[in-house]
Amino acid sequence: MKLTRKSTDLLIYNLLAERRMSGEEIGEVLGISRAAVWKAINKIRQNGVQIDVEGRRGYAIVEEMDVNPYKVASIAFRNLKFLDEVFYYTSVDSTNLRAREYGRPSVLFFAESQSAGRGRLGRRWESERGGLYFSLTLQPPLGFDDLSKLTLIAGLAVADSLPGAKLKWPNDVMVEGKKVCGILSEIHGELERPVVIIGIGINVSNPVPENAIRVQQFWYVDLTQVFDKVLKTFQHHYSLLVGGEWEKLRERYAEKCDTIGKVVKVITPTGEIVGRAEGIAKDGAIIIDGKKVYSGDCIHLRNYRSR
Ligand code: BTN
């Protein structure tokens, strides 16, 4: 289902999240008929929010599903200033695929589960219920060469949102050496005006393999709290990036990045590079033995000193 900032059902949900209100009052506030209010209330009910009605005192939210379209859209619109639309799916093939097909920027695609979740380099991303799966589309006022910084700051936003998290270049988020979040960035559209899709998958309470970890193993929070925190941090970092403050973000990224200071193997489309990861260059590349590398699959081999 699709929601915008002006969707009547979302506006009513937000009013009722504050307090009980009568149909008449809601109608007056929103400038719509009582029949329209009633119709929207039924739609909200059908989407996992229990609303009771008490005679003239009117409607109130009594219970809701932990994750539902209105809660998700409220969080998304509150945190992301540039956002125009939210698509919500209980199940979908892949939010990145939906984003690509839709084609427009400033949209968020959210899924409770994915049947064909996609990981980097053609891998699968297990996406059972309980995890956080969403894609954001952006058309940032940045040059083509700066677009990869967006992926880095998305990873940084997640790492900054989770206690004890570190980054594994380019944008895996790790806790206790295990992967908690993966990011798949894709670019489409015209070369002059590309649309960037940032797909984020965070293990929250979903089942994970041995080499991965989920948020609830180290932090007692629910999925929408994680979503809220990540979007807030992303908006903050994104504003810095488009405001020309990349240098601050680069420093912050380097501090959080566990890859720096390690001997690594990076598998790139043009071959393998083994060497010391020395730092993050001004243009966002990782520096390995003095050479810049822009993308690839990175394996940590050992620390400098143990060499
Ligand atoms: C990785 O391989 O580390 C990247 C995983 C990215 C998974 C997310 S989940 C939401 C979005 N939709 C997808 O199909 N993939 C990304």
Side-chain angles (χ1 to χ4, degrees):
M1 93 185 255
K2 174 174 135 176
L3 290 162
T4 69
R5 288 182 193 268
K6 290 187 181 149
S7 299
T8 307
D9 41 347
L10 179 61
L11 293 173
I12 295 180
Y13 171 87
N14 284 332
L15 289 175
L16 296 182
E18 294 294 318
R19 65 178 177 92
R20 183 182 285 277
M21 276 175 102
S22 71
E24 198 177 338
E25 221 179 338
I26 296 172
E28 270 168 26
V29 173
L30 300 182
I32 55 173
S33 68
R34 285 180 65 178
V37 172
W38 186 77
K39 206 173 138 201
I41 294 272
N42 279 342
K43 190 168 171 204
I44 301 171
R45 282 180 172 141
Q46 279 159 19
N47 283 294
V49 182
Q50 211 179 309
I51 296 176
D52 87 353
V53 52
E54 247 183 45
R56 299 186 53 169
R57 290 181 59 233
Y59 302 105
I61 295 173
V62 283
E63 221 183 307
E64 62 179 325
M65 306 266 277
D66 295 349
V67 188
N68 67 67
Y70 302 106
K71 201 170 183 176
V72 164
S74 303
I75 293 172
F77 287 129
R78 187 173 67 230
N79 286 305
L80 302 176
K81 289 185 219 138
F82 57 83
L83 198 66
D84 292 334
E85 295 168 294
V86 171
F87 283 85
Y88 186 97
Y89 309 92
T90 43
S91 179
V92 74
D93 47 3
S94 152
T95 53
N96 266 43
L97 280 179
R98 292 303 104 222
R100 174 176 287 262
E101 193 180 273
Y102 196 59
R104 287 196 211 149
S106 311
V107 185
L108 185 134
F109 297 81
F110 182 103
E112 289 178 26
S113 66
Q114 298 181 117
S115 55
R118 297 164 64 224
R120 291 181 65 228
L121 308 159
R123 298 186 191 119
R124 249 185 86 83
W125 184 258
E126 289 304 327
S127 312
E128 286 182 52
R129 275 184 65 90
L132 187 52
Y133 314 108
F134 66 96
S135 303
L136 255 179
T137 62
L138 299 148
Q139 199 160 52
L142 297 171
F144 202 85
D145 290 346
D146 285 335
L147 295 184
S148 63
K149 292 175 185 165
L150 259 186
T151 321
L152 297 182
I153 67 147
L156 182 60
V158 178
D160 278 341
S161 302
L162 303 177
K166 285 279 181 187
L167 285 157
K168 178 168 161 284
W169 182 86
N171 50 24
D172 283 350
V173 183
M174 316 290 286
V175 170
E176 294 165 23
K178 294 180 171 190
K179 185 155 162 172
V180 68
C181 162
I183 296 179
L184 175 65
S185 302
E186 299 180 279
I187 296 179
H188 77 124
E190 294 168 41
L191 263 184
E192 292 77 33
R193 287 177 62 77
V195 175
V196 181
I197 302 170
I198 299 180
I200 301 186
I202 305 179
N203 301 320
V204 181
S205 64
N206 51 304
V208 290
E210 250 316 280
N211 60 352
I213 190 166
R214 50 177 190 264
V215 175
Q216 289 189 350
Q217 284 172 262
F218 59 88
W219 194 21
Y220 191 71
V221 276
D222 66 32
L223 193 131
T224 49
Q225 288 171 299
V226 177
F227 184 57
D228 192 21
K229 187 92 203 319
V230 170
L231 294 193
K232 197 175 277 127
T233 317
F234 179 78
Q235 175 65 63
H236 173 262
H237 292 4
Y238 181 68
S239 301
L240 283 180
L241 181 66
V242 298
E245 306 254 27
W246 160 246
E247 210 38 46
K248 273 191 194 147
L249 294 161
R250 183 175 74 100
E251 275 167 27
R252 176 110 190 122
Y253 183 95
E255 270 166 34
K256 281 255 153 152
C257 183
D258 227 11
T259 308
I260 313 299
K262 292 223 163 58
V263 176
V264 297
K265 174 156 96 180
V266 181
I267 303 155
T268 75
T270 50
E272 276 182 23
I273 302 161
V274 178
R276 294 172 179 204
E278 294 163 345
I280 300 295
K282 289 212 183 311
D283 63 358
I286 193 164
I287 305 168
I288 298 175
D289 280 350
K291 285 191 286 290
K292 285 183 180 177
V293 180
Y294 289 89
S295 69
D297 208 17
C298 177
I299 300 158
H300 291 178
L301 299 177
R302 54 192 180 271
N303 292 328
Y304 273 6
R305 285 197 197 97
S306 59
R307 227 188 165 192

